[in-house]
Amino acid sequence: MWPVLCAIMIQPVTVFPVALTCGSSKPCNLDFLNDTIRELNDILQHGIQYEEFKIHVTLKSIVCDAPARAMVKATKQYSGYYGCDKCTQKGVWYGRLTYQEIDNIVLRTNESFRDQIQEEHHCGVSPFTALPVDLIKSFPIDYMHQACLGVMRRLLLIWIKGKKETRITQRHVEEINKKLLEMQQFVPSNFARKPRSLLEIDRWKATEFRQFLLYTGKLVLKGSLRGDLYAHFMTLSVALCILVSPRLIQMHKGYAHQLLVYFVKRGRELYGNEFLVYNVHSMLHLAEDAGWFGSLDVCAAFPFENYLYKLKKMVRSGKNALSQVVKRIHELENDPGEMKPAKFKKIICTNKPDNTYILDDSSCCEAVALSHQRDDEGNQKILCRVYNRTESAFNDPCDSKIIGVYQINTAKSYMKFIKKSDLKTKAIMVHSRSGRHTKILAILHEF
Ligand SMILES: [Zn+2]
């Protein structure tokens, strides 16, 4: 099934299908996009009339995985010699196509793309050229496919199945698995999945690679992955933590880019030239895209992937899959509960592991009990256990406090009523086996 899905980027994000095609292989041409492009063009130029209101519409981004992006842009695939859709460098063959240039990169522009300045990049004319959009900026790198399912998965596979020099010993893999399973009790229920062992890596979903990349990996790899490989992984992890956070990206976008440049360069030293495949190379373009959109989650495939999963579940038998889906969508329009996004839950939970919050750079708390007390402005007060004097949990590649990772002493706490509105930044609280070193990690991405 090849659906064209649309998301209205107003919270909570709503996803709906605008076109559906079905077949035993990928579409042989782009005709299935024609109606969508025509309609989009009309909407972008004239807006939508709703009763007496005229609603102005802009196209924020077109989100695809790399193969689909090359298809709809009518360009070479990422595995071809001029396949990077952001820069003009020619790939180099090291058993597979890699992109070795890091510092002297010539970026593509909307104009150079439309004029097909680098002929080798193009296979035809993209139907999207009919739209008044920037054909480079409007097609962001999708971090779900490229960072989570791409680079993070690749690193894990190198560590557990790769060359002997950079492989983790069996004993250390078992240690990591044990730590991942212990982590289950600490991961809040906002996360769709609890951590699973690396034995099940072939079944890990994109959200599990994201959870590892942004949060659990930092903790479970420490001491089990070789020091230099761990330091290298941390540069990727910290950079992504910055780029998924709308707040951090404003302050540290440049730093995140420097980290990613270092990640790619150092990756070549540690894992060889063949490490710089397209997904790894695309990390050089990630900060630019994330900065343009405000954070990585604004232009990621996660909400579409969720919807796709629901669409697939609508097919009950192999016959006439398309009509089954269309019928089911119509039914749901009358009973929309299932397809609508979950409403924002601003409920404060007082049970572990859902009750940890960051208050500021030097303190965090656990919500313990709700109270009926309100202050003069009507804010509900929550009884909290406050931990002051938080410390940095690590200092390489930067002070961990920058990305909201702290170490606390749980023996030193006090109770205090805190305004509900001050409990904004939810966090993960992880106790060590000895119970002496408790770590707090701010949840930075959007669910
Ligand atoms: Zn590139």
Side-chain angles (χ1 to χ4, degrees):
M1 195 178 289
W2 278 69
V4 180
L5 302 176
C6 181
I8 299 176
M9 299 308 284
I10 298 171
Q11 293 291 352
V13 174
T14 312
V15 178
F16 58 93
V18 292
L20 288 169
T21 61
C22 204
S24 54
S25 62
K26 70 175 193 171
C28 55
N29 59 48
L30 297 174
D31 289 350
F32 73 103
L33 285 173
N34 289 348
D35 287 348
T36 306
I37 300 280
R38 202 177 308 121
E39 209 174 337
L40 253 176
N41 211 355
D42 184 47
I43 290 172
L44 292 175
Q45 291 193 32
H46 304 112
I48 295 173
Q49 194 70 36
Y50 177 73
E51 295 178 350
E52 73 268 35
F53 304 105
K54 188 157 189 180
I55 300 167
H56 179 64
V57 179
T58 53
L59 181 63
K60 214 167 172 104
S61 62
I62 299 143
V63 180
C64 312
D65 63 9
R69 200 161 57 232
M71 194 175 105
V72 301
K73 286 183 83 176
T75 63
K76 293 276 163 62
Q77 282 292 340
Y78 62 94
S79 50
Y81 276 109
Y82 295 91
C84 179
D85 53 332
K86 297 287 176 184
C87 72
T88 59
Q89 73 171 287
K90 183 185 179 184
V92 184
W93 190 261
Y94 280 101
R96 57 202 296 185
L97 203 88
T98 64
Y99 292 87
Q100 298 293 326
E101 190 58 59
I102 296 173
D103 293 314
N104 302 310
I105 284 177
V106 179
L107 296 174
R108 297 187 193 282
T109 64
N110 182 43
E111 292 72 31
S112 72
F113 185 90
R114 284 179 183 270
D115 293 344
Q116 303 209 350
I117 298 285
Q118 188 181 53
E119 285 173 24
E120 299 94 330
H121 179 55
H122 301 268
C123 303
V125 177
S126 166
F128 282 96
T129 53
L131 297 179
V133 296
D134 187 312
L135 290 167
I136 304 301
K137 285 181 175 153
S138 301
F139 286 86
I141 306 273
D142 163 37
Y143 91 106
M144 184 191 103
H145 285 101
Q146 295 177 237
C148 303
L149 290 167
V151 184
M152 189 63 253
R153 185 168 178 276
R154 185 171 162 80
L155 278 173
L156 280 164
L157 291 178
I158 288 174
W159 296 333
I160 57 182
K161 297 177 184 174
K163 286 183 195 162
K164 201 168 164 230
E165 307 86 72
T166 46
R167 210 189 304 151
I168 307 178
T169 63
Q170 192 53 33
R171 183 174 67 82
H172 281 122
V173 173
E174 282 165 19
E175 224 172 75
I176 292 169
N177 286 339
K178 213 169 148 196
K179 286 188 262 186
L180 278 169
L181 296 178
E182 282 171 4
M183 202 67 80
Q184 290 181 344
Q185 60 188 305
F186 304 123
V187 170
S189 55
N190 313 50
F191 287 85
R193 287 167 185 275
K194 298 279 187 187
R196 286 199 272 182
S197 115
L198 293 173
L199 294 171
E200 295 186 73
I201 194 162
D202 292 338
R203 289 184 290 279
W204 278 27
K205 304 284 183 211
T207 55
E208 293 172 279
F209 287 106
R210 172 170 65 180
Q211 189 184 72
F212 192 93
L213 174 57
L214 299 180
Y215 309 108
T216 55
K218 293 184 192 74
L219 305 183
V220 304
L221 294 174
K222 178 94 184 152
S224 301
L225 181 64
R226 217 174 72 194
D228 52 349
L229 305 184
Y230 179 77
H232 177 244
F233 160 75
M234 286 294 280
T235 59
L236 177 72
S237 177
V238 169
L240 269 287
C241 281
I242 292 169
L243 298 181
V244 295
S245 161
R247 189 177 64 83
L248 294 180
I249 197 172
Q250 286 187 15
M251 297 181 279
H252 305 300
K253 185 191 115 178
Y255 176 58
H257 178 65
Q258 285 173 14
L259 284 174
L260 290 171
V261 171
Y262 175 82
F263 173 78
V264 177
K265 274 187 190 165
R266 183 77 180 125
R268 180 162 55 192
E269 289 165 15
L270 290 167
Y271 301 106
N273 290 332
E274 63 272 29
F275 183 65
L276 303 199
V277 293
Y278 170 71
N279 281 335
V280 173
H281 163 74
S282 72
M283 297 299 104
L284 299 174
H285 302 303
L286 198 65
E288 179 70 24
D289 275 4
W292 174 255
F293 288 98
S295 84
L296 284 178
D297 278 304
V298 177
C299 54
F302 283 104
F304 301 107
E305 202 66 16
N306 283 342
Y307 191 90
L308 201 58
Y309 176 72
K310 289 176 188 170
L311 273 187
K312 283 179 183 164
K313 282 212 305 196
M314 290 176 191
V315 181
R316 304 237 161 96
S317 69
K319 267 189 188 171
N320 301 326
L322 216 50
S323 59
Q324 289 177 52
V325 171
V326 173
K327 199 171 159 224
R328 186 82 184 111
I329 289 171
H330 280 305
E331 282 168 14
L332 289 166
E333 277 174 355
N334 298 321
D335 176 20
E338 199 183 329
M339 296 302 280
K340 278 222 166 141
K343 282 221 170 92
F344 274 161
K345 282 188 186 160
K346 293 220 168 132
I347 300 163
I348 301 292
C349 181
T350 53
N351 297 326
K352 287 176 191 289
D354 289 310
N355 62 342
T356 307
Y357 294 87
I358 309 275
L359 294 172
D360 54 48
D361 250 5
S362 59
S363 60
C364 54
C365 72
E366 285 177 287
V368 175
L370 305 176
S371 88
H372 297 296
Q373 284 189 42
R374 287 180 187 271
D375 66 10
D376 297 342
E377 284 145 17
N379 291 305
Q380 189 184 358
K381 288 181 168 183
I382 315 286
L383 183 62
C384 296
R385 178 175 293 114
V386 178
Y387 302 97
N388 260 352
R389 283 189 249 152
T390 52
E391 287 173 20
S392 303
F394 57 81
N395 285 297
D396 186 23
C398 65
D399 183 345
S400 69
K401 286 186 175 184
I402 289 176
I403 55 158
V405 181
Y406 306 93
Q407 185 152 298
I408 57 165
N409 181 349
T410 47
K412 290 182 182 167
S413 68
Y414 59 90
M415 305 302 284
K416 187 184 174 187
F417 280 107
I418 291 178
K419 277 193 295 189
K420 182 181 170 185
S421 56
D422 286 342
L423 302 182
K424 282 185 293 226
T425 309
K426 219 171 158 173
I428 309 170
M429 183 184 273
V430 181
H431 299 291
S432 68
R433 282 176 203 161
S434 66
R436 273 186 302 215
H437 304 289
T438 297
K439 300 226 172 25
I440 309 278
L441 298 91
I443 298 175
L444 302 164
H445 74 282
E446 288 173 32
F447 287 97

